[in-house]
Amino acid sequence: MTDYDVTPEELRTLAMSKSEKPPSDVDTAHLAKLLSLALLVQREGGTELSKSGCTLLETSGTTHTTHVEGSGRI
């Protein structure tokens, strides 16, 4: 597994960001990784799912590890 692999647990954290109400209990390591991969975007009101994050969830779901090379990693 590499830094560009997103685990099912991280994908579930990403999926929680789709809801209108922000999740209250988020693993900060997951949040940091998803932000660094540009799957989430930090905004004034909290984090939002990026276009890349939406696409990843639509194509991959949340059940298996997914490779995310070239997603805009900082």
Side-chain angles (χ1 to χ4, degrees), residues 50-69:
S50 69
K51 185 175 180 180
S52 298
C54 286
T55 302
L56 179 66
L57 286 174
E58 289 171 4
T59 58
S60 300
T62 61
T63 58
H64 60 279
T65 298
T66 305
H67 189 73
V68 194
E69 186 103 26

Side-chain angles (χ1 to χ4, degrees), residues 15-50:
M16 288 191 307
S17 299
K18 287 179 74 172
S19 68
E20 291 181 26
K21 184 178 178 183
S24 59
D25 186 28
V26 176
D27 185 322
T28 55
H30 291 182
L31 186 60
K33 181 174 180 179
L34 296 169
L35 284 165
S36 75
L37 289 170
L39 299 173
L40 288 176
V41 180
Q42 187 68 45
R43 302 274 189 228
E44 187 174 321
T47 56
E48 293 180 7
L49 201 55
S50 69

Side-chain angles (χ1 to χ4, degrees), residues 1-21:
M1 191 144 89
T2 71
D3 288 344
Y4 295 101
D5 292 333
V6 183
T7 66
E9 294 82 16
E10 292 163 339
L11 287 167
R12 284 191 285 280
T13 299
L14 184 64
M16 288 191 307
S17 299
K18 287 179 74 172
S19 68
E20 291 181 26
K21 184 178 178 183

